[in-house]
Amino acid sequence: MKTTEALNKEIKSIATAGAKLDKMIQNTAVGVAEHFAAHKDTGLVNRLFLAMPKGSRRTALADWLLKFVAVSVSMDASSKKEQPFIYDKSKTTDPVAGAETMWYDLKAEKSLEEVFDVATMVRSMLNRMNKAAKLDHFNPEADKAMRQLAHAVGIKESDVPTTLAQKAVKPAEPAKKAPAKPAKSAAKVDPLTVPDAA
């Protein structure tokens, strides 16, 4: 069994090595952002992220990348393990702001897919609304609200579906009127039975 002194020494070494690693990751991330701003190279972004051990620190870096690099989380199940991030032309890369924010200061206790990336979530919502087969009618107010939200989070108008999906609604059939009853004919009077006037 290790002594308390030996364990304290190792813990101190971990803290020292951890601080050095944090700084190295920050400097590398800023360098990747600068390179991405010039070349739009998602390869470096993905390699940096995949080099991180799994856990909250890895997701914290993902949060940093989503905030300061023009990328979004890939939703392609066939490639997202190797390429978790894809280029997002609706976003901008800002290595200067990224350098001022330490990646490990960002809270990220969720999985990569759950990291709060507003633009990606809004796009997903728009696509789901556009493809939904359960809509009974088109709601112009909802359509307008979604377009305003898309614009607010930086999604270009050209990337927004032209119209949200709508299910054709059959016009209500007019109430059927009961067939008109034939008018009663006047009773025939037999002139032979009519009494003479007095």
Side-chain angles (χ1 to χ4, degrees), residues 13-14 26 31 69 72 80 82 134-135 139 185 188-189:
S13 297
I14 291 173
Q26 178 72 15
V69 184
S72 293
K80 68 179 182 179
E82 296 76 23
K134 294 182 180 181
L135 290 178
N139 187 329
S185 57
K188 294 182 180 180
V189 179

Side-chain angles (χ1 to χ4, degrees), residues 121-150 155-169:
M121 295 181 71
V122 172
R123 278 198 184 89
S124 177
M125 190 181 300
L126 285 169
N127 289 333
R128 289 185 180 184
M129 291 181 68
N130 194 46
K131 295 177 181 178
K134 294 182 180 181
L135 290 178
D136 293 326
H137 60 281
F138 178 66
N139 187 329
E141 291 301 321
D143 179 52
K144 180 180 179 181
M146 287 304 301
R147 291 176 183 280
Q148 291 176 340
L149 178 58
I155 298 176
K156 295 181 179 179
E157 181 67 23
S158 58
D159 292 338
V160 179
T162 53
T163 55
L164 296 178
Q166 55 178 309
K167 186 178 181 180
V169 179

Side-chain angles (χ1 to χ4, degrees), residues 36 40 65 68-72 86-89 91-93:
F36 190 90
K40 306 297 185 294
L65 292 170
F68 302 114
V69 184
V71 293
S72 293
I86 57 175
Y87 172 50
D88 187 339
K89 62 182 180 180
K91 300 172 68 174
T92 57
T93 300

Side-chain angles (χ1 to χ4, degrees), residues 23-34:
K23 185 177 180 180
M24 181 187 296
I25 293 172
Q26 178 72 15
N27 291 337
T28 303
V30 172
V32 167
E34 291 172 341

